[in-house]
Amino acid sequence: MRLKNLLSILFIFPILCSCQEDDIEEIFVGSGTWNVGNFYTGGKWDRYDNDGAKAIYLKSEDLKVLNKMTVTFHDDGTLSGTLINGTPFSAKWGANGKDRTIWINNMKTNGTPTGKSKELIDALINAAYYKGDINYIKIAPEDKKSYVQLGHYSE
């Protein structure tokens, strides 16, 4: 009888855990300013651990440049950030902690971003899903075949 009860608990536990809703305030807003870590392609989005995605930038010089770009999610539904050359940008954002969807719209920036700055702006505009916690966030478009990873990286 104990084995049957134990097996029942073990079966029900993953179901209960999968219904947990993310704390959007804690993850996005409470974590302060985020830096761009890298852009990734491929992998299996639904795996939480190592998803097998490939980093686009591998040189340390490129990573230092990426880390200079910032994104800050504000609790009033706005976000702000800086691109590679310090150019500011802003937008509106929202997220759903239950299905881990995110939307970013009304993007505004001075000039026309190019290169890695354009990659960040495009990744944010096309954002549809996120996963992560207070240490990192991965933001993917609808097809989940690529993503940008944000984290707290220091130079």
Side-chain angles (χ1 to χ4, degrees):
M1 188 61 146
R2 285 185 183 171
L3 180 59
K4 186 177 180 181
N5 289 341
L6 180 61
L7 290 174
S8 296
I9 291 170
L10 291 175
F11 177 73
I12 292 172
F13 184 73
I15 294 170
L16 294 174
C17 290
S18 67
C19 297
Q20 219 171 9
E21 187 170 335
D22 283 352
D23 184 341
I24 298 299
E25 181 79 17
E26 178 183 21
I27 293 173
F28 288 92
V29 178
S31 297
T33 297
W34 296 90
N35 303 87
V36 175
N38 212 326
F39 296 90
Y40 293 82
T41 61
K44 297 187 185 299
W45 178 261
D46 295 327
R47 287 186 55 182
Y48 191 79
D49 56 348
N50 182 0
D51 55 24
K54 304 285 186 227
I56 293 177
Y57 298 101
L58 302 175
K59 294 180 182 177
S60 62
E61 308 86 58
D62 287 327
L63 297 176
K64 286 180 184 177
V65 168
L66 290 176
N67 293 168
K68 290 180 182 179
M69 292 192 289
T70 65
V71 179
T72 305
F73 297 90
H74 304 283
D75 61 0
D76 65 356
T78 62
L79 69 79
S80 60
T82 56
L83 301 174
I84 290 173
N85 59 3
T87 300
F89 67 89
S90 63
K92 302 273 187 196
W93 78 281
N96 181 325
K98 189 90 171 155
D99 61 8
R100 293 179 178 88
T101 55
I102 184 170
W103 53 94
I104 298 173
N105 54 39
N106 296 336
M107 183 67 69
K108 295 181 179 138
T109 186
N110 297 335
T112 304
T114 60
K116 294 174 184 75
S117 293
K118 181 175 179 357
E119 283 183 79
L120 175 60
I121 295 297
D122 289 346
L124 295 175
I125 288 172
N126 294 312
Y129 296 96
Y130 78 89
K131 66 179 176 178
D133 54 32
I134 61 172
N135 299 308
Y136 76 92
I137 303 172
K138 296 177 180 183
I139 299 176
E142 188 70 36
D143 66 9
K144 301 178 186 175
K145 292 183 179 180
S146 63
Y147 62 84
V148 60
Q149 181 167 310
L150 306 178
H152 303 291
Y153 308 101
S154 58
E155 292 186 36

